[in-house]
Amino acid sequence: EYQWKGPFYFIQGADPQFGLMKAWTHGDTNNGDDEWGEEIKLAEQAVQAVNKLNPKPKFFVLCGDLVHGMPGTRWKKNQEQDLKNVLKNTDQDIPLVFVSGNHDIGNTPSRETIDDYCQNWGDDYFSFWVGGVFFLVLNSQLYFDSSKCPELRQAQDAWLDEQLAVAAKQKCKHIIVFQHIPLFLSQPDEDDDYFNLEKSVRQEIMEKFHKAGIRAVFSGHYHRNAGGSYKGLEMVVSSAIGCQLGQDTHGLRVVVVTEDKVVHRYYSLAELGSHGLEKELLDMLAKQ
């Protein structure tokens, strides 16, 4: 879909992270994830809310940390199977897009953990077009710590440069990026933190994205809503479907793409499920 066909929207979710809620309340985030009934209910609520939307979103993207269990841990496979069982109920006309998070491939991923993720959920980085808009899904773990697989980081970097060259040739309306770890949480020059990318890496990526004309980067990882901008590039950090670490509610983000802008709003699952999109966003979608 290289051609612009008019405004559309998609749904962004992040961090269903089956198992974190119990681990977090018990103060044992390494082993305490042996129950995830609460997260199953929240993920079901998210799927039901998305299925009810009218018009339908173009796709539903999950920005990483699909489950809490790290590679090789005891409950990971069961958590993944339970999440798949919930996601199978997503309306067949709404494609699912998966982004890898640190819990999906490990804080320091290896070729093995990435291969395992790819067999389960699909490629760890790829691009796709929707109605004249170019979307890039990145494996942000390779920017966080690629010490066990430096060659995979190099491969993603080379691929990204090729993709940005394609986007420039095709004269797309917008370029939008999905990754798990935010470039930054509120300020482009903020200090390094568990929840953002290291300054030197961040600066290089932000500059590359800015030069390529990327409009927005959508991420998760923080379990709170946050964000900021760098030279016109918007960094959008969405809170979780699952465990909340701040004051936000379990929710999803609605992202409306028009010819000249990208507008987004975070909804609680209850709000989106009962009311759907508000009039202001529906009006934007109706303008052809």
Side-chain angles (χ1 to χ4, degrees):
E1 295 195 356
Y2 294 129
Q3 302 307 314
W4 176 251
K5 298 192 178 83
F8 64 88
Y9 80 104
F10 63 86
I11 300 291
Q12 183 219 4
D15 303 272
Q17 206 156 341
F18 283 21
L20 175 59
M21 287 170 96
K22 182 177 177 201
W24 185 257
T25 37
H26 284 246
D28 181 4
T29 47
N30 293 330
N31 308 298
D33 59 334
D34 59 346
E35 282 173 32
W36 49 92
E38 199 59 39
E39 285 98 336
I40 289 177
K41 283 193 205 120
L42 290 161
E44 286 172 344
Q45 203 182 339
V47 167
Q48 284 158 8
V50 169
N51 285 349
K52 271 166 63 178
L53 293 169
N54 184 23
K56 288 187 202 305
K58 285 284 186 183
F59 59 87
F60 177 17
V61 57
L62 283 171
C63 282
D65 281 1
L66 305 172
V67 302
H68 182 66
M70 286 278 188
T73 55
R74 187 169 170 194
W75 307 109
K76 188 177 184 69
K77 288 280 174 260
N78 300 36
Q79 290 168 354
E80 288 182 329
Q81 192 51 57
D82 283 352
L83 177 60
K84 286 180 183 179
N85 291 343
V86 173
L87 293 174
K88 275 177 193 156
N89 297 316
T90 309
D91 185 314
Q92 295 300 299
D93 296 330
I94 304 171
L96 288 164
V97 177
F98 297 107
V99 181
S100 61
N102 56 309
H103 282 261
D104 305 311
I105 58 176
N107 285 321
T108 306
S110 65
R111 187 176 280 281
E112 291 69 39
T113 64
I114 292 175
D115 282 351
D116 187 58
Y117 169 86
C118 293
Q119 279 162 16
N120 250 312
W121 302 102
D123 294 339
D124 60 323
Y125 58 89
F126 56 96
S127 64
F128 60 97
W129 287 84
V130 175
V133 177
F134 193 45
F135 291 93
L136 292 162
V137 170
L138 297 178
N139 178 345
S140 55
Q141 234 31 59
L142 294 174
Y143 295 129
F144 187 79
D145 182 358
S146 61
S147 55
K148 283 187 184 165
C149 52
E151 72 290 352
L152 297 184
R153 156 92 192 256
Q154 285 161 359
Q156 176 171 263
D157 285 343
W159 171 87
L160 179 57
D161 290 340
E162 280 164 22
Q163 296 297 308
L164 294 175
V166 167
K169 268 206 195 76
Q170 290 289 353
K171 308 223 181 328
C172 52
K173 281 285 173 213
H174 307 291
I175 310 172
I176 293 174
V177 172
F178 298 120
Q179 59 187 55
H180 178 61
I181 302 180
L183 297 167
F184 57 89
L185 297 173
S186 57
Q187 303 295 330
D189 59 352
E190 69 198 18
D191 291 340
D192 296 350
D193 185 298
Y194 172 76
F195 289 110
N196 62 20
L197 289 178
E198 185 194 351
K199 261 187 183 171
S200 57
V201 177
R202 180 197 317 165
Q203 188 56 43
E204 192 183 323
I205 298 171
M206 290 189 308
E207 208 35 50
K208 178 182 284 192
F209 284 4
H210 163 67
K211 286 197 173 119
I214 289 172
R215 180 55 65 102
V217 177
F218 288 89
S219 70
H221 190 48
Y222 191 44
H223 294 255
R224 285 156 280 214
N225 287 309
S229 64
Y230 171 81
K231 298 185 180 176
L233 164 73
E234 191 181 5
M235 179 67 242
V236 184
V237 185
S238 285
S239 197
I241 292 171
C243 189
Q244 298 301 311
L245 302 184
Q247 302 307 307
D248 297 295
T249 48
H250 307 281
L252 293 167
R253 193 172 291 276
V254 171
V255 187
V256 175
V257 183
T258 71
E259 197 156 5
D260 51 357
K261 56 187 181 216
V262 176
V263 177
H264 52 88
R265 198 154 295 163
Y266 186 82
Y267 288 84
S268 73
L269 297 179
E271 196 185 0
L272 192 63
S274 58
H275 305 306
L277 307 193
E278 62 218 272
K279 185 174 183 307
E280 189 190 339
L281 296 183
L282 289 168
D283 287 349
M284 290 172 83
L285 290 168
K287 284 185 184 140
Q288 286 299 341

